[in-house]
Structures are given as C-alpha cells and as structure tokens.
Amino acid sequence: MKVSVIIPVYNVDQYLRHCLESVVFQSYLNKEIILINDGSTDCSQEICEEYVRRYPFIRLINKENGGLSEARNVGILHATGDYVMFLDSDDYWQTDFLSDLVEIIHQNNKVEYIFFPYQYYYQQRKIYVKATLSIERSELIGKNGVECLNYILKHNGDFKWFAWSGIVKKSFLLKHELFFMKGRKYEDALWTPYLFLKATCIDYYDNPIYVYRNERIGQITLNHSYSTLEDSMFVATYWHKVLTTLSIEESLVEKLMNNFVERYYYSMKFACFLKRDERKKIISLLKKNRALLQYKFTLFHSFAAMCSKTFGFHRTIQMIHIILTLKGKSKYGFWGKDNGDAEGGQSKETNGAKSISKHHA
C-alpha cells in the first residue's frame, strides 16, 4: 500500500528541513512526498530541490501562489498513493508511526479515514502541549462517520477539524469530489467534516504524532481584518445551510452547529477592531444570519447571544470592545482561550485558527 504525503510549501525555509526529515525518517518504505511550492520567494524552493535530488520518492511541483487550498488540491490530483496525508511545511511528525497506520488498514481494508490527536509546540517557550481529546478507540471501531461524529462531539464539543490530523483513502476523496474550497480561510473546517459525513468506515490512532508549531517567527497570531472575520462567519453560515439538506438526526445537527457557530461569534467578538464601514458590513452579516444565535457552546456565546437579542448587534459589539479593553488580551477566563486563528487556521482553524498565519495569500 502506497502512502502519499502532500506538503504545501510557502516561505518556510527556516522550518522546511525539519518537516521533511520527519517524513524521510519514517521506516515505512512505500511512500511518496509531494512538495507543492506555492510561489515561495525565500529559499524554500532550493531546499525542496535539494531533497528531490537526495530522495527518489520526493517530487516537486512549482506553481504560482494560489493559496493553501489550491496547493492541497494539486497534491491530491498528482498523488499516486492509495492513501493521502497532509503536512504543513512548518510543522512536523514526531515519531515513526506510518507503518502503524498501514497495519490498521491492512487489518481492515474498508477503512476510509483514520484520524489521530496532535500536540502544540510553543517554540519560544520550548514547551509541548498535547491537545485534549476524550476518545476511546473501542467506541469507534465498526462505526460509520456519522456515528463517530455523534460520539466525538458528545465528548469533545470543540473538536478541531484539522485536515492534517489523519490519513484518507484517495479513491474515497475522488469518489465524493472532496477538494478544498479555494478563496476562503478556515478551509479545514469546510473540508474535514465531509470526511466523517461521507465515510462508511473510520478508525482512530491514539498517538499524538503531529506537532503543530506555534510562536514561529513571522507568524501572524491574530488577524482581525474584514476578510478574516467574513471568512470565519462563512464557515458557520455554510454548514447551517448544508446540514439542512442532509438526512441526519437533529441532535447531531445541533452538536455540529454548536461547534461551527464558534466562527460566527468570533466575527462578533472582533468586529470592534474593524474600520467603521467594514464593521457595518459585518453587523449586516450578523443580522442576516441571526438564526445562528440559537446555537451556543461557551459562556461567551450565551452572553453574546443574549445581548444581541436584547440590545442589538451594534451595542453588543461595543460592550464586547469595552470588556476586551478592560481585560487586555483576554485569552483566558470568561472569554475562553482564543483560538480564533485555529482549525484549520491560518488562525489554523478554531476550527481553523493558526491558519491565518499559515494561509498563503
């Protein structure tokens, strides 16, 4: 069984060798690495070419800058493996684990998707923090993706939809035409849920092998531009529309929306940092999608929803601004830890959030 590892590359020459070595290090031999150089302007292309010369299983595709989604899509279409994985070029794998995933698939060749936990590396402080996931593999074996979602979200309401936290059968992606949406941030949160919603067989590998680098030089940790907040809200509104067309239990729809609605409240929380005309446009979108106020996961969500219904969105955003100012960066406490760049994000996605920084133009 051949595994294709797709690595989009964009201006990460300081971290690229570490990333590549973590894949080259894997003892499983039947693998290929597909490097998608997305218009890098630093020394990333030269490093890619160096590794192509050294290892016959590494291929390089150079393209004009088109963003992370487009780069990943190119990788999917050029992959020759039976299964594909994604790895961000400033992250890395910590252990020799690939053969373990292949063994799981050999034991059950019906498996379409295997996901696994991960850990954050805060490089300035040199500390690792394992992401908390309450998942027992025995509870997932033999279940389809929808059944798995019910279990996962019951115990992990803030589940993150990172595209790189799993291995997926290529024929499954092509059959369901599962490509990344171009032109949007938080693309992981628009893609990964479909793996669960479409899959008939899923498994879980309980080993946090993926290391997600934070605090890297040049990383944008918070980007409260209009396009970022609009894209964030788009995740919630997109799934609100899609889920109404699917034949799944209402209880699961509610669990999913309680997760996705974080992106809606994120836009509300940071709209105060926009220019007046941009803030008006965000408020207009918040009003247009006020039906999302019925979904809540955190105390802040409940507070924001209550205030919006009582005082309106403009006043609510003003109140949030005052509280944020009083609380400074407000990363903890009542507001909850801010992963607005996350899941996925270049904030990698809260479902997309470091992603904002990793997102290419």
Side-chain angles (χ1 to χ4, degrees):
M1 193 193 89
K2 187 174 184 179
V3 177
S4 297
V5 183
I6 299 169
I7 307 178
V9 177
Y10 181 73
N11 289 354
V12 285
D13 54 6
Q14 184 172 350
Y15 309 101
L16 185 53
R17 284 189 173 86
H18 191 184
C19 171
L20 294 177
E21 288 295 333
S22 74
V23 185
V24 170
F25 166 77
Q26 299 295 312
S27 59
Y28 188 73
L29 298 179
N30 195 11
K31 61 180 179 287
E32 68 173 356
I33 300 174
I34 304 176
L35 302 174
I36 314 296
N37 176 34
D38 195 32
S40 296
T41 57
D42 62 359
C43 296
S44 294
Q45 181 173 335
E46 288 80 356
I47 295 172
C48 290
E49 292 171 346
E50 171 194 332
Y51 275 79
V52 169
R53 290 192 297 269
R54 289 169 57 187
Y55 300 100
F57 54 85
I58 299 181
R59 289 191 285 145
L60 171 62
I61 299 173
N62 291 309
K63 59 181 291 297
E64 293 183 359
N65 181 261
L68 183 59
S69 291
E70 183 177 296
R72 285 173 171 172
N73 291 341
V74 169
I76 292 173
L77 293 174
H78 283 81
T80 61
D82 303 287
Y83 283 75
V84 300
M85 303 181 71
F86 298 100
L87 175 59
D88 284 358
S89 50
D90 57 346
D91 296 337
Y92 60 96
W93 292 340
Q94 193 167 45
T95 62
D96 182 10
F97 74 102
L98 200 52
S99 57
D100 292 345
L101 295 184
V102 173
E103 179 59 29
I104 292 173
I105 295 170
H106 282 325
Q107 292 174 4
N108 182 3
N109 60 16
K110 294 182 180 179
V111 171
E112 294 157 323
Y113 179 52
I114 303 173
F115 69 106
F116 44 76
Y118 48 90
Q119 53 188 318
Y120 299 100
Y121 174 50
Y122 297 91
Q123 65 176 28
Q124 292 184 18
R125 289 170 282 173
K126 294 182 171 55
I127 59 174
Y128 292 86
V129 178
K130 181 181 177 181
T132 302
L133 282 179
S134 299
I135 296 176
E136 293 291 337
R137 185 187 177 210
S138 60
E139 297 291 331
L140 300 181
I141 293 178
K143 293 183 178 179
N144 60 39
V146 170
E147 292 170 328
C148 289
L149 274 180
N150 257 314
Y151 170 80
I152 293 168
L153 293 173
K154 178 180 179 181
H155 301 282
N156 308 268
D158 61 345
F159 184 75
K160 305 296 186 291
W161 308 99
F162 294 119
W164 39 251
S165 61
I167 182 171
V168 59
K169 184 179 287 188
K170 182 186 175 182
S171 60
F172 168 78
L173 294 178
L174 297 181
K175 174 183 177 182
H176 297 286
E177 299 181 339
L178 297 181
F179 294 97
F180 290 87
M181 187 181 297
K182 294 187 287 187
R184 292 284 183 181
K185 301 180 181 72
Y186 311 104
E187 64 288 318
D188 291 25
L190 298 169
W191 182 83
T192 307
Y194 277 117
L195 302 184
F196 290 95
L197 292 169
K198 300 288 186 181
T200 59
C201 187
I202 282 180
D203 209 330
Y204 178 65
Y205 179 67
D206 191 8
N207 187 356
I209 54 85
Y210 194 101
V211 179
Y212 177 41
R213 190 188 301 273
N214 281 285
E215 301 178 334
R216 72 174 175 85
I217 297 173
Q219 178 177 340
I220 302 170
T221 54
L222 287 176
N223 181 350
H224 301 137
S225 67
Y226 171 80
S227 64
T228 296
L229 299 188
E230 196 275 332
D231 280 346
S232 183
M233 197 185 312
F234 177 80
V235 172
T237 58
Y238 172 85
W239 282 111
H240 191 229
K241 293 176 183 177
V242 169
L243 291 174
T244 61
T245 68
L246 303 180
S247 299
I248 58 177
E249 295 178 359
E250 183 59 34
S251 60
L252 177 56
V253 171
E254 184 174 1
K255 290 174 187 173
L256 285 164
M257 284 309 307
N258 285 341
N259 178 288
F260 296 133
V261 81
E262 164 62 23
R263 311 314 314 162
Y264 178 82
Y265 289 109
Y266 176 74
S267 299
M268 189 187 305
K269 181 176 180 179
F270 294 108
C272 56
F273 293 99
L274 299 177
K275 297 177 181 178
R276 180 178 297 180
D277 59 332
E278 293 177 333
R279 186 164 61 248
K280 286 182 178 179
K281 288 192 285 186
I282 286 294
I283 290 174
S284 177
L285 289 173
L286 289 168
K287 289 180 179 178
K288 180 181 178 180
N289 297 284
R290 65 172 66 247
L292 294 175
L293 292 174
Q294 67 182 295
Y295 302 106
K296 312 167 192 70
F297 180 69
T298 68
L299 181 59
F300 168 69
H301 296 169
S302 298
F303 168 81
M306 179 190 68
C307 290
S308 298
K309 294 175 183 178
T310 306
F311 305 109
F313 290 98
H314 180 72
R315 291 290 179 86
T316 299
I317 289 171
Q318 287 180 327
M319 286 189 286
I320 292 173
H321 190 194
I322 293 171
I323 297 173
L324 283 175
T325 301
L326 292 174
K327 295 182 70 66
K329 293 183 180 179
S330 183
K331 286 184 177 293
Y332 300 97
F334 172 79
W335 300 97
K337 189 172 181 179
D338 178 20
N339 351 313
D341 77 338
E343 185 151 257
Q346 278 147 354
S347 215
K348 250 174 187 176
E349 212 201 17
T350 14
N351 282 358
K354 172 174 116 183
S355 296
I356 293 178
S357 62
K358 288 192 171 179
H359 271 241
H360 319 152

